[in-house]
Amino acid sequence: MVLCILKRKIEVYHHDPLKALSTVYAVELMPDNVKEMKERILKYISQFTSNIESINKIIDKNIVCANALTYDFSFIDSKEKKGLLRSKMFKLKKN
């Protein structure tokens, strides 16, 4: 499904391949499915760009192995998350 969406963004809507890839997300429970999905996406996207490092970085961030029912979909790293929590707590204490 993810690959179909990615193909449509690139082939039908003519999006830049890396930008299209950066807007596709997936959370899958089974590690073997995640591995296969990442391999298929890499194979497809590498037709359009040779920047494998950027492709892998985007894929690793956007395609994750986790339980979708409990996964935190905020897509920010833990350092940023801690900063946001501190600022929210500070605002609460201030009021």
Side-chain angles (χ1 to χ4, degrees):
M1 186 60 128
V2 173
L3 188 56
C4 292
I5 293 168
L6 183 60
K7 284 181 178 182
R8 184 173 57 233
K9 287 182 177 206
I10 295 169
E11 296 170 11
V12 175
Y13 298 112
H14 307 290
H15 290 218
D16 174 75
L18 286 179
K19 286 185 180 182
L21 178 60
S22 68
T23 64
V24 175
Y25 301 89
V27 177
E28 169 60 45
L29 187 59
M30 303 301 293
D32 54 330
N33 289 346
V34 173
K35 184 177 183 261
E36 186 177 334
M37 185 185 327
K38 287 181 176 185
E39 289 170 355
R40 287 180 179 184
I41 290 171
L42 178 62
K43 183 179 177 183
Y44 176 73
I45 288 291
S46 61
Q47 299 175 64
F48 302 100
T49 180
S50 59
N51 193 346
I52 302 299
E53 186 178 324
S54 292
I55 295 170
N56 281 324
K57 187 176 178 180
I58 295 168
I59 289 173
D60 287 340
K61 183 171 179 153
N62 293 5
I63 312 297
V64 295
C65 184
N67 183 343
L69 298 175
T70 59
Y71 184 72
D72 179 5
F73 285 90
S74 61
F75 293 106
I76 58 176
D77 65 28
S78 59
K79 197 175 189 181
E80 288 177 287
K81 208 177 284 188
K82 286 178 185 174
L84 287 173
L85 289 174
R86 282 191 197 115
S87 66
K88 286 179 182 179
M89 288 172 60
F90 180 74
K91 286 179 185 176
L92 289 174
K93 288 179 182 178
K94 202 173 177 181
N95 292 333

